[in-house]
Amino acid sequence: MDIKQLWLNAQDLWGTLDQHPLLHSSLALAVLLVIALILGRVARYLILHASRMLGRQPALHWINDFRHNKVFQRLAQITPSLVIQFGLHLVPDLSKTAMVFLGNVALAFTILFLLLAIAALLNALLDIYARTEHARTRSIKGYVQLTKMVLYVFGAIIIVATLIDRSPLLLLSGLGAMSAVILLVYKDTLLSFVASVQLTSNDMLRVGDWIEMPQVGADGDVVDITLHTVKVQRFDKTIVSIPTWRLMSESFKNHWLEPHNSY
């Protein structure tokens, strides 16, 4: 059987599918999904290979931070959903309802991976900042964590609104009615954020400071400052995690400037 005969048989088979619209559209969707996955793998390979090549250059060493935090990998994961979004109109016998639903699902995945890419980008920028001189005295991890939290909340709202085919403003108006519940749930986060801003802006606490806070059993060096906790390594090498807001509501002694510098 030659190639021409195979082509004619394939045309006959495809023609018979016109008599079965559901089967026709299902097979077309399966083909579109396979193509999207293949293009996604190709895009991932090309992007990661290019990032490795560029990361070898000394002037572009920061690309390695992007690669280690999977920024490029997250961006490549957007490819399949984009292919499906733009390829749905090529699927024959697909109802308008199904096209809208599948398009919304694909768009939701696009938004999801875009959010993950932005979060990975923030992590990469945090790693780059950690190697600077300012990072020794000014920690921005808390701000990055808060930014990611806000990003995830608004991203979740947009994704849900996309899936139910409604405006995000409609969901945001509903959140306004639940403001009391939201404040109760995120009370510690808000308190920690305010405390983190005050500690940083007033230069009350830095990574490397020796602090004492007997009420929580903390007596040692500050090794990490995040949005929710401050980690103190005691002299026996154990770690004490202190809620950030407690450093503003309770007193502690900081030996950074002088032997008896307390707040």
Side-chain angles (χ1 to χ4, degrees):
M1 185 179 294
D2 56 8
I3 298 178
K4 183 177 180 180
Q5 186 63 36
L6 287 174
W7 175 252
L8 292 175
N9 291 339
Q11 284 184 321
D12 292 338
L13 178 61
W14 191 258
T16 58
L17 291 177
D18 292 336
Q19 303 174 5
H20 305 280
L22 182 59
L23 180 60
H24 196 185
S25 59
S26 299
L27 288 176
L29 282 174
V31 172
L32 178 61
L33 179 61
V34 171
I35 294 175
L37 293 176
I38 292 175
L39 291 178
R41 298 291 294 183
V42 172
R44 182 177 183 273
Y45 172 79
L46 293 176
I47 292 175
L48 293 182
H49 181 70
S51 65
R52 290 192 194 99
M53 296 296 293
L54 293 174
R56 294 173 183 173
Q57 301 182 20
L60 299 176
H61 65 277
W62 51 268
I63 290 182
N64 293 322
D65 293 295
F66 283 40
R67 186 164 56 87
H68 294 156
N69 285 280
K70 299 183 178 180
V71 176
F72 301 115
Q73 183 175 341
R74 297 302 186 191
L75 289 175
Q77 289 174 331
I78 299 176
T79 304
S81 57
L82 287 177
V83 172
I84 292 176
Q85 281 180 253
F86 292 103
L88 279 175
H89 70 280
L90 300 176
V91 177
D93 301 320
L94 188 63
S95 65
K96 183 178 180 181
T97 303
M99 183 175 294
V100 171
F101 173 74
L102 294 175
N104 289 341
V105 172
L107 179 58
F109 274 102
T110 301
I111 297 172
L112 173 62
F113 289 123
L114 182 60
L115 289 173
L116 294 177
I118 295 175
L121 175 62
L122 292 174
N123 291 334
L125 294 177
L126 183 62
D127 290 344
I128 295 173
Y129 176 80
R131 294 195 297 269
T132 64
E133 292 293 332
H134 296 287
R136 297 181 180 180
T137 56
R138 300 285 183 177
S139 175
I140 63 170
K141 183 179 289 186
Y143 300 105
V144 172
Q145 289 177 333
L146 180 65
T147 303
K148 289 167 61 177
M149 185 178 299
V150 173
L151 182 70
Y152 288 145
V153 170
F154 281 97
I157 293 174
I158 295 174
I159 289 174
V160 172
T162 301
L163 290 174
I164 64 177
D165 199 18
R166 293 291 186 271
S167 172
L169 297 178
L170 183 63
L171 296 181
L172 288 174
S173 62
L175 289 178
M178 298 175 59
S179 57
V181 178
I182 295 174
L183 289 176
L184 181 63
V185 172
Y186 291 101
K187 180 188 68 173
D188 290 341
T189 300
L190 294 174
L191 289 175
S192 296
F193 172 67
V194 174
S196 178
V197 171
Q198 291 179 337
L199 288 172
T200 304
S201 60
N202 295 325
D203 201 17
M204 298 170 62
L205 191 66
R206 299 181 180 184
V207 175
D209 286 358
W210 169 23
I211 68 170
E212 289 184 50
M213 199 170 182
Q215 56 269 42
V216 295
D219 184 6
D221 298 329
V222 176
V223 294
D224 194 17
I225 301 176
T226 65
L227 177 62
H228 295 96
T229 59
V230 173
K231 294 182 180 180
V232 178
Q233 181 176 334
R234 296 188 291 193
F235 299 111
D236 59 358
K237 300 302 181 181
T238 57
I239 301 294
V240 178
S241 296
I242 308 172
T244 308
W245 60 268
R246 291 194 64 173
L247 293 170
M248 290 303 302
S249 61
E250 302 177 19
S251 63
F252 69 94
K253 183 183 292 185
N254 191 335
H255 296 271
W256 172 50
L257 289 177
E258 53 188 9
H260 300 289
N261 185 21
S262 60
Y263 296 95

